[in-house]
Amino acid sequence: MMQIALLGNPNIGKTSLFNQLTGSYEYVGNWSGVTVEEKVGLLKNKKAYLVDLPGTYSLTPLSRDERVVTEFLLKNEFSSIVNIVDASQLQRNLHLTIELLEFEKPLMMGLNMIDVAQSHGLEIDEQMLADKLGVNVQPIIARTGKGCTRLMDKIIGQENKMGKSFQLYYGEGIEKGITILEELLDGKEVQLPSKRWLAIQFFAGNETVKTYLQKLTDSQTLEELFTSVEKETIKQAGHSVQDTIYEKRDEFIVALLRDVVSVIKDVPQTFTEKVDRFATNKYLGMPIFLVLLYLMFMITFNWIGTPLSDRFDAFLSGPFTGWLEGMLKHLGTSEFLYKLIIEGIVPGVGGVLVFVPQIFILFFFISVLEDSGYMARISLVMDRIMQSIGLNGKAFIPMVIGFGCNVPGIMSARTIEQPKERLITILLTPLMSCSARLPVYALFAGVFFKGNEALVVLSLYTLGVVLALVLAKLFSKTILKSEESLFVVELPPYRVPHIKTLAKSTWDKGKGFVKKAGTFIFGGTVVIWVLSVVGFGGFHVAMDDSLLASVGSFIAPIFAPLGFGTWQAAVALVTGFLAKESIVATMNIVYHTASAAYLQGMVANAYTALSAYSFLVFILLYIPCLATVATIKKETGSTKWTIFSMVYPFVIAYVISFTIYQVGKLIGLN
């Protein structure tokens, strides 16, 4: 079955179109870098596979995710291209279109956001655009699905309708160089439709293409040819080869748009422009962001989330546990299996699942911020701060994604062009408070900070961000000195989120939490419970004499200066390395609790408000979970930096928790 490549600039609805055409659901966000590797889906008509490639402004790759696009074009077999463009930003988007047309594969254009263009007073002659470029053009609104079915119907068989080749004249010097390079490639095994495209990409500075060509011809010959063309072009045009290629394309695009785009009315200031006067304001942007976070946490932990979690907990620890006990007795279950289920699995898994309402509410509001277009503004607001510490606003995007889960946050750092900035971002993203920590926050904040849960949780999120910024400054000035980089971000118009999209996005984020509770946490609770009933004296020993208690007691003195030197806390922190959700599951087992309310009572006896906050800070900052560590190893390809990513957070967590607890005691807090 044939494959069709889906390409376009970042943040123009490419992934939304992929979802509409395939019926699958991929993560959609209003910033560049959401798609960091190709995703494949079967078209709804079952006639072809659609490959969703990372968004890129150009085929000349700067970042790792952009390199994926060029490598796909060079190495993969596919029949045609669907190029999605933003109808309201054609001049910028058509630069990529020209590069794709020069590749000489059949191409179809999805003219997206046609409604936004019309709201800006723009009228596009779609047929003239199609005729001048020699492609099929289909107006669409990817978010709502309008026009997407017609686009899909036109995709299949389009190669039979597109015999017209596209060719721009780049000037005498460059054209001469293109001809020479094409002649050098004659007789070589080039599995591409256009040798001219290879030559243009080489002169445009595409390093991936250059590496490809070096396998086909002599490297020195290529360097001498480039130097010769560069000198000739500067002499003729007064610019470098790359700048001249860009200018020739831009001249063509400007002339094209004069013919195909008309301004039909003067448009007053848009809603987006009015809101952005405040949302992206130099002084108001950050306070607005913090207020929105506070309201989000109030709804999650105070107004709606906690009451729902309490009711769910009452059901699990009451009617559900009673029904399960009765069923197990009726089936004649052995004492060992009965206790494993009732004292191990139900408290462990159930103790995590009771926080599902809070998790899903939080993810719902994060999805609202994403789908409305506000998330891109956060990175713009943060850019001013990030620049002062040696990074740029793009580095904050993985951190924001890390609020949901650190793993995709680290993976999205592929969008950062500068290698050292990318490494710094990868190392710091685990400091962002992921959703797996929320059950612990909810448990302790509900016990010791009743009525101020949202404020306490906000303080933890803020601490993670502030610490990441401080360390970014330190790393960029010492162990990872980086070059200055330019920050470019697409600011989409504000939109009213679609309920269907919100539901899909919320479920996509939250299902991982539920799945982990039913698999990883399930297995972990079995192991933890067994260790809690097995000791040096055999089976069914008292909890304090168990292997679990022995391990915890050996480690516990390390944490005594931090205010939580009990073996139960030590064991919970160890299992927290496997998955942060396991902390609550472990506590339910070691405290012999069957309900969140009972666990809260046990926690209230084991901690003070001061030691509880110290414990929460330590959980926020200490060693990343196993999945995050594995992702760091994969993304950096370095054992050294992976070990560093585990060691430095533990040291910092220890120092800060120690300071909080000891200073708190000195000033009389408890």
Side-chain angles (χ1 to χ4, degrees), residues 345 349 516-529:
I345 295 174
V349 177
K516 193 184 290 186
T519 54
F520 193 88
I521 305 300
F522 179 90
T525 55
V526 172
V527 174
I528 293 166
W529 182 82

Side-chain angles (χ1 to χ4, degrees), residues 167-181:
Q167 189 167 311
L168 276 185
Y169 180 75
Y170 288 106
E172 183 180 346
I174 295 176
E175 290 295 334
K176 182 180 178 182
I178 291 172
T179 301
I180 293 172
L181 187 48

Side-chain angles (χ1 to χ4, degrees), residues 69-80:
V69 177
T70 300
E71 289 176 348
F72 179 88
L73 295 177
L74 289 171
K75 300 175 183 178
N76 290 64
E77 297 226 357
F78 59 101
S79 59
S80 58

Side-chain angles (χ1 to χ4, degrees), residues 91-163:
Q91 184 170 348
R92 183 182 64 248
N93 282 221
L94 287 177
H95 277 273
L96 177 62
T97 303
I98 289 174
E99 293 186 84
L100 296 175
L101 287 170
E102 290 173 336
F103 191 72
E104 294 186 9
K105 277 279 190 182
L107 183 145
M108 182 164 190
M109 181 182 290
L111 194 60
N112 193 28
M113 302 187 195
I114 198 73
D115 55 333
V116 176
Q118 291 170 351
S119 70
H120 290 175
L122 304 177
E123 187 176 78
I124 300 170
D125 189 330
E126 297 140 15
Q127 189 56 53
M128 183 180 294
L129 178 63
D131 292 340
K132 286 185 174 290
L133 293 178
V135 300
N136 288 316
V137 176
Q138 173 61 47
I140 60 171
I141 303 176
R143 290 179 67 250
T144 64
K146 185 176 181 181
C148 292
T149 301
R150 291 189 65 188
L151 175 67
M152 181 174 64
D153 292 340
K154 291 179 180 180
I155 289 173
I156 306 301
Q158 65 172 308
E159 61 269 23
N160 299 321
K161 302 177 182 179
M162 297 178 61

Side-chain angles (χ1 to χ4, degrees), residues 561-624:
L562 313 187
F564 42 90
T566 64
W567 72 261
Q568 292 91 341
V571 167
L573 290 171
V574 171
T575 59
F577 168 65
L578 303 177
K580 293 298 184 281
E581 300 96 331
S582 295
I583 293 173
V584 172
T586 301
M587 286 187 165
N588 271 291
I589 293 173
V590 299
Y591 285 121
H592 285 301
T593 61
S595 72
Y598 188 78
L599 178 59
Q600 286 178 337
M602 298 299 292
V603 166
N605 292 328
Y607 296 81
T608 65
L610 179 60
S611 65
Y613 192 74
S614 173
F615 187 65
L616 292 180
V617 169
F618 192 83
I619 287 169
L620 165 70
L621 302 175
Y622 88 118
I623 303 174

Side-chain angles (χ1 to χ4, degrees), residues 318-521:
F320 177 78
T321 301
W323 169 82
L324 189 59
E325 287 176 342
M327 185 186 72
L328 292 174
K329 289 177 181 177
H330 177 73
L331 294 174
T333 307
S334 67
E335 182 183 359
F336 177 83
L337 184 58
Y338 178 88
K339 287 188 174 182
L340 171 63
I341 294 173
I342 300 302
E343 296 179 4
I345 295 174
V346 171
V349 177
V352 174
L353 287 178
V354 295
F355 297 102
V356 163
Q358 291 169 318
I359 297 294
F360 273 82
I361 289 171
L362 182 66
F363 281 151
F364 173 80
F365 284 105
I366 289 175
S367 297
V368 169
L369 295 180
E370 290 170 354
D371 202 46
S372 66
Y374 180 70
M375 277 297 194
R377 273 79 184 173
I378 295 174
S379 62
L380 179 64
V381 169
M382 286 301 299
D383 181 57
R384 300 183 183 100
I385 299 174
M386 301 297 277
Q387 289 285 356
S388 67
I389 61 172
L391 301 176
N392 68 44
K394 188 177 282 189
F396 192 66
I397 293 172
M399 297 182 186
V400 172
I401 296 173
F403 287 151
C405 179
N406 293 158
V407 171
I410 290 168
M411 292 176 65
S412 68
R414 296 174 184 176
T415 62
I416 300 171
E417 295 88 354
Q418 223 278 345
K420 289 186 178 178
E421 285 191 12
R422 182 164 62 249
L423 179 56
I424 291 173
T425 304
I426 288 172
L427 294 174
L428 297 179
T429 296
L431 298 178
M432 300 302 103
S433 186
C434 67
S435 61
R437 296 169 170 97
L438 286 177
V440 191
Y441 298 167
L443 171 64
F444 280 81
V447 174
F448 297 101
F449 309 104
K450 205 145 189 83
N452 296 301
E453 292 97 323
L455 196 59
V456 169
V457 174
L458 179 60
S459 73
L460 293 168
Y461 274 73
T462 304
L463 175 61
V465 173
V466 170
L467 187 59
L469 298 181
V470 172
L471 290 174
K473 181 72 171 179
L474 178 64
F475 291 169
S476 64
K477 294 295 183 182
T478 55
I479 59 175
L480 287 167
K481 292 183 180 179
S482 57
E483 302 170 3
E484 289 189 13
S485 58
L486 180 66
F487 174 54
V488 179
V489 65
E490 189 80 23
L491 292 181
Y494 288 107
R495 310 180 181 107
V496 177
H498 282 235
I499 295 299
K500 184 178 179 181
T501 302
L502 288 178
K504 283 183 176 180
S505 179
T506 303
W507 170 247
D508 189 59
K509 294 181 179 72
K511 70 181 180 183
F513 182 85
V514 177
K515 183 179 179 181
K516 193 184 290 186
T519 54
F520 193 88
I521 305 300

